[in-house]
Amino acid sequence: MPGADGQVGHELLAALAPLGELIPATRAGVLADGGTCLRADLADADALRAALDDARADLIVNAAAHTGVDRAEDEPALADRVNHLAVGEIGAWAAAHGARVLHYSTDYVFDGSATCAYREDDATAPLGVYGRSKLAGEQALRASGASHLILRTAWVYAARGHNFLRTMLRLAAEREELRVVADQVGAPTPAHWIARASAQMLAQWQGEPGLYHLVAGGQASWHDFASAVIAGAHARGLIAHAPRVLPITSAHYPTRAQRPARSVLDCTRLKRAFGLELADWRTGLDEVLDQLARC
């Protein structure tokens, strides 16, 4: 399982354990708790091939990715290597060895111009290097001939790691006022929900290829999400005071990479195929904040 030290990967360690023997893998061969594991560096084709040969897995769960959306604009070759070429290599190995692949993709394959939620078969039009590399990875996995599941998710966060929620909590301790973009809309989705749903899907999956959207219910702007984070964290005593959260436009917060304005994903196909429907994003936020409050 490449990416075992990431947000989703860390949650998968527990969620997938009941399904059988798990071989976690990270780029450096070290887990978040300091323990050692298989080294699988997707930026290094030879190292990736060696890891696949060593593990001899019958199911490969790829939770690794180059996720630095802005950084990808400055290192497109690395983003393409990790998010595209390596995924194709995983697929080719799986096809040759009769293995299956579960791979995660992103809402950034869309340009965000739609007025309704995106379905899996809607036209893709990524705005930047990150989205293009992830879309190319999807295409490479499909072309590999491997039995695969591709799960597109979005706005992922957790109680650990680098994510929007943790950034808001850090800034809340430093500032009296937070200015947050209000004209980008999506569905904040906790990593542990993604991991849990992945395990439930794998328990049912018969091996047929499929592309599914997997995000929390409802929708929110980054400003909505930030406001809920601050209010919930203050109520739980995670922050000493609640700074004002003011809405701004994307034009007032320029970034290296352009983001989709509206990347809400339709998860109807997931519900029909697997009977899965994630709860509203606010419920997920409450669970993550409760987890932080217990620490």
Side-chain angles (χ1 to χ4, degrees):
M1 188 184 75
D5 55 346
Q7 293 184 104
V8 174
H10 179 76
E11 299 293 343
L12 284 168
L13 293 176
L16 298 183
L19 300 184
E21 181 186 2
L22 189 64
I23 304 174
T26 67
R27 182 176 59 185
V30 179
L31 293 169
D33 63 4
T36 59
C37 65
L38 184 67
R39 178 178 179 269
D41 185 356
L42 272 64
D44 183 334
D46 291 337
L48 174 59
R49 189 177 307 109
L52 292 168
D53 287 340
D54 287 346
R56 304 292 296 184
D58 55 13
L59 169 65
I60 303 163
V61 179
N62 180 34
H66 184 300
T67 57
V69 176
D70 292 320
R71 195 171 71 250
E73 298 295 317
D74 298 315
E75 45 191 35
L78 179 60
D80 188 69
R81 167 65 223 163
V82 173
N83 294 342
H84 165 209
L85 298 178
V87 178
E89 292 160 8
I90 290 171
W93 189 96
H97 294 82
R100 299 180 296 165
V101 181
L102 170 59
H103 175 68
Y104 298 94
S105 192
T106 175
D107 58 324
Y108 277 57
V109 300
F110 299 111
D111 65 7
S113 62
T115 56
C116 57
Y118 284 102
R119 295 176 302 184
E120 288 84 353
D121 53 1
D122 283 336
T124 52
L127 297 174
V129 170
Y130 170 70
R132 287 194 294 271
S133 68
K134 291 294 289 182
L135 178 59
E138 292 184 10
Q139 295 166 341
L141 181 54
R142 283 195 291 268
S144 73
S147 175
H148 67 270
L149 287 178
I150 299 171
L151 304 183
R152 289 180 184 149
T153 190
W155 293 32
V156 180
Y157 69 98
R160 62 178 297 278
H162 301 287
N163 56 67
F164 182 83
L165 176 143
R166 289 178 60 86
T167 297
M168 290 300 101
L169 294 180
R170 174 177 57 81
L171 293 177
E174 302 170 356
R175 303 179 184 180
E176 295 296 325
E177 179 179 287
L178 303 179
R179 299 166 64 83
V180 184
V181 169
D183 58 358
Q184 295 174 20
V185 177
T189 306
H192 73 281
W193 280 12
I194 297 170
R196 185 170 61 201
S198 298
Q200 292 171 331
M201 292 177 72
L202 289 173
Q204 301 179 49
W205 185 37
Q206 299 301 309
E208 63 281 2
L211 168 65
Y212 299 92
H213 288 169
L214 174 61
V215 293
Q219 62 186 53
S221 69
W222 288 115
H223 175 263
D224 295 331
F225 188 28
S227 298
V229 168
I230 297 303
H234 187 249
R236 291 167 174 80
L238 293 170
I239 52 177
H241 73 285
R244 297 183 299 277
V245 184
L246 303 181
I248 62 171
T249 65
S250 298
H252 288 96
Y253 188 74
T255 54
R256 183 76 174 85
Q258 185 180 358
R259 268 73 168 165
R262 180 182 173 84
S263 58
V264 179
L265 303 181
D266 185 324
C267 299
T268 302
R269 178 183 290 183
L270 178 73
K271 183 177 181 180
R272 288 174 176 169
F274 293 95
L276 294 175
E277 184 175 20
L278 300 191
D280 186 84
W281 67 270
R282 297 173 187 84
T283 301
L285 175 59
D286 284 339
E287 290 182 8
V288 174
L289 290 175
D290 286 344
Q291 181 182 350
L292 284 170
R294 291 193 296 269
C295 294

